[in-house]
Amino acid sequence: MNRTPRDRDAEGRAHSARPRDGLGRPLPYGERGVARQPEGVVRPPRETLAEAQRLLDAGMPFHAHEVLEDAWKSGPDEERGLWRGLAQLAVGLTHAARGNATGGAALLTRGAASIAPYEAARPYGIDIGGLIRWAEGLTGELRRGGSAVPAAGRAPRLRDG
């Protein structure tokens, strides 16, 4: 069996070097893709939120998910559910924009449930209630047979103002 060797990072871990489009879908090798977010970047929470919002507004929720995932992996234990949930919301929008209604609805539901315990505290000015309502609305649309949604046009606001 002739198999293509997997891309590896400097430490030998599998890491896809294929170019990706704005929604994170792999493109054929040699095609021009959208620059990926560097992995493992530790940012202050407000900087994380600003960068994730910029990417969401640009119609790049997959890339926003990568920024939020860095916060999830590097943040304090008591905030892991918050950042994981925000990353899941971004991936849910990614799936919805790709036309995967089932996957989008599942991730939006999971993300909303993960951030719900933080609603009263509103850490970093995150509009938890607004995000939950946004996720529920988009989930309902997807479950009613909605087709692919425009990522930038359906991007949520992470913070008030």
Side-chain angles (χ1 to χ4, degrees):
M1 177 195 258
N2 187 8
R3 292 175 39 159
T4 304
R6 294 183 72 178
D7 298 325
R8 303 276 174 189
D9 65 14
E11 287 79 40
R13 292 184 301 257
H15 180 77
S16 178
R18 286 176 65 180
R20 296 195 177 254
D21 71 6
L23 292 174
R25 292 175 289 218
L27 299 170
Y29 286 102
E31 282 199 25
R32 185 171 178 87
V34 174
R36 293 188 64 180
Q37 293 298 302
E39 292 182 37
V41 176
V42 178
R43 299 174 180 87
R46 292 187 194 285
E47 187 179 317
T48 295
L49 292 166
E51 179 64 4
Q53 188 69 64
R54 183 189 72 76
L55 292 163
L56 288 166
D57 292 345
M60 298 170 58
F62 177 81
H63 296 76
H65 139 268
E66 291 181 324
V67 168
L68 294 162
E69 188 175 62
D70 283 341
W72 161 19
K73 291 180 178 179
S74 66
D77 287 342
E78 62 273 9
E79 292 182 2
R80 293 252 163 97
L82 171 69
W83 297 109
R84 181 184 64 238
L86 292 172
Q88 288 170 328
L89 293 177
V91 166
L93 179 56
T94 299
H95 282 283
R98 290 176 177 176
N100 176 2
T102 301
L107 282 158
L108 290 166
T109 299
R110 209 173 310 146
S114 290
I115 65 172
Y118 300 90
E119 187 169 10
R122 294 178 46 92
Y124 312 109
I126 299 171
D127 184 8
I128 302 291
L131 287 169
I132 291 170
R133 287 187 297 279
W134 168 83
E136 289 171 345
L138 184 52
T139 296
E141 182 181 323
L142 294 170
R143 289 190 173 145
R144 286 188 300 276
S147 57
V149 301
R154 296 307 297 270
R157 300 301 311 157
L158 298 175
R159 298 175 66 206
D160 289 332

